[in-house]
């Protein structure tokens, strides 16, 4: 810690993300860094992320091929099939954007004498240096041992999305938990109707699969749906509560007294989701830099930041 006053130096929060060479170049632009794909090379996180996708695909298979396609009610199958698959696409898209979005990493190795001289600190001002990634640590930033970076407004590291949840990707994580909770509830409701229909029809023409296979597939789906619904609903509620109180999970667990001006309720929601309430809030595709990524791919493929 470099001391001169009694508060942290906050202006460094707005500097761009570093390149992979661990050096800090103040001439790097936000546009250049936005073209990079953020990805954490963590074995456990990658396994959990793949499992998440496989479980969603399994649920989609059971709902579509075991319950809906064999149904004689065309509109029941069509409406529920379209709804479930749309929610699944939104959930997986939110998962991808959470995983591949820089959560708010602080530039690596910017705690150099030259850079601090450029800050033109006033007498009595203080800045904090992270000894693990050798970076100037902004207010409310915490070091993640898995990402090996300091993350602005870090809430927690989630292995299911193989990334930290922080300032820049919290919105996508909230959408991910919301859509997973919705498809889990939808799957449980469909399982209830299917069991009732099969029992009433004595399992004749209930499914294209044999009764034992149908029962096993639906039981596993019910267990998956119940566990995911419980977990994601609790996580969604926790995230919304934290956003409305402008307090991260780490700050709550450490009982840190706020030294910042809190944004409460709707101000906090607008800060995370952007602008006034609209359908864009629940759209994980909003702001997706497709054109930049396509241009980058033509130039030689995307670069990865970690």
């Amino acid at each position: 810690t470099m001391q001169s006053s009694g508060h942290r130096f906050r202006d460094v929060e707005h500097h761009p993300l570093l390149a992979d060479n661990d050096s800090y170049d103040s001439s790097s632009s936000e546009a250049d860094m936005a073209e990079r794909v953020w990805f954490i090379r963590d074995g456990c996180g990658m396994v959990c992320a793949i499992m998440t996708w496989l479980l969603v695909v399994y649920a989609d298979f059971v709902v579509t091929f075991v319950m809906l396609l064999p149904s004689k009610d065309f509109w029941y199958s069509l409406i529920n099939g379209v709804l479930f698959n749309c929610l699944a696409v939104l959930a997986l898209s939110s998962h991808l954007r959470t995983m591949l979005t820089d959560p708010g990493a602080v530039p690596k190795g910017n705690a150099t004498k030259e850079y601090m001289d450029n800050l033109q600190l006033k007498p009595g001002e203080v800045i904090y240096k992270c000894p693990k990634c050798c970076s100037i640590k902004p207010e409310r930033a915490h070091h993640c041992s898995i990402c090996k970076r300091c993350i602005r407004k870090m809430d927690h590291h989630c292995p299911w999305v193989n990334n930290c949840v922080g300032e820049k990707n919290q919105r996508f994580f909230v959408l991910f938990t919301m859509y997973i909770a919705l498809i889990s509830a939808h799957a449980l409701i469909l399982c209830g109707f299917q069991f009732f229909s099969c029992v009433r029809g004595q399992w004749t023409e209930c499914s294209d699969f044999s009764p034992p296979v149908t029962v096993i597939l639906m039981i596993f789906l019910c267990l998956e749906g119940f566990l995911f619904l419980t977990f994601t609903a609790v996580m969604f509620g926790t995230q919304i509560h934290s956003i409305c109180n402008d307090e991260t999970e780490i700050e709550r667990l450490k009982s840190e007294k706020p030294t910042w001006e809190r944004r409460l309720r709707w101000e906090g929601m607008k800060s995370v989701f952007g602008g006034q309430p609209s359908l864009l809030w629940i759209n994980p595709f909003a702001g997706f830099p497709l054109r930049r990524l396509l241009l980058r791919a033509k130039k030689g493929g995307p670069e990865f930041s970690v």
Side-chain angles (χ1 to χ4, degrees), residues 123-252:
E125 285 185 323
V126 61
I127 56 177
Y128 287 78
K129 174 184 175 182
C130 176
K132 297 177 181 178
C133 57
C134 195
S135 63
I136 293 177
K137 196 172 184 179
E139 186 176 38
R140 305 186 71 182
H142 293 85
H143 185 86
C144 175
S145 59
I146 299 175
C147 296
K148 296 180 174 58
R149 301 291 287 271
C150 283
I151 307 296
R152 297 182 183 92
K153 289 184 67 177
M154 175 180 168
D155 188 85
H156 67 287
H157 185 95
C158 179
W160 294 103
V161 297
N162 189 33
N163 202 0
C164 275
V165 177
E167 184 177 69
K168 294 183 180 179
N169 69 345
Q170 187 175 24
R171 168 177 170 253
F172 303 121
F173 181 75
V174 172
L175 294 182
F176 168 66
T177 58
M178 181 183 74
Y179 286 124
I180 289 293
L182 288 176
I183 63 172
S184 299
H186 192 192
L188 289 173
I189 293 171
L190 291 175
C191 281
F193 279 114
Q194 188 73 8
F195 272 119
F196 177 77
S197 174
C198 290
V199 170
R200 187 178 59 180
Q202 298 182 346
W203 298 92
T204 59
E205 299 181 1
C206 172
S207 173
D208 293 336
F209 296 84
S210 64
V213 173
T214 300
V215 170
I216 292 173
L217 291 173
M218 291 174 61
I219 287 175
F220 274 112
L221 179 60
C222 287
L223 290 174
E224 177 192 341
F226 177 76
L227 291 174
F228 268 69
L229 175 61
T230 303
F231 174 75
T232 54
V234 170
M235 184 59 71
F236 175 78
T238 302
Q239 288 291 303
I240 294 298
H241 181 267
S242 297
I243 293 171
C244 290
N245 289 324
D246 195 12
E247 181 182 48
T248 66
E249 186 66 16
I250 290 180
E251 292 164 351
R252 187 185 68 81

Side-chain angles (χ1 to χ4, degrees), residues 5 13 52 83 119 142 176 219 290:
S5 113
E13 292 187 36
T52 301
L83 178 60
L119 292 178
H142 293 85
F176 168 66
I219 287 175
L290 179 60

Side-chain angles (χ1 to χ4, degrees), residues 89-90 93-94 97 171-172 175 280 282-289:
V89 168
L90 290 170
S93 300
S94 300
R97 294 213 67 182
R171 168 177 170 253
F172 303 121
L175 294 182
L280 292 177
I282 59 174
N283 179 11
F285 301 102
F288 184 68

Side-chain angles (χ1 to χ4, degrees), residues 48 77 79 103 108 112 161 192 195 213 230 240 276 286 291 302 306:
C48 289
S77 299
I79 293 173
K108 261 188 182 180
T112 62
V161 297
F195 272 119
V213 173
T230 303
I240 294 298
Q276 295 297 323
R291 180 176 298 179
V306 290

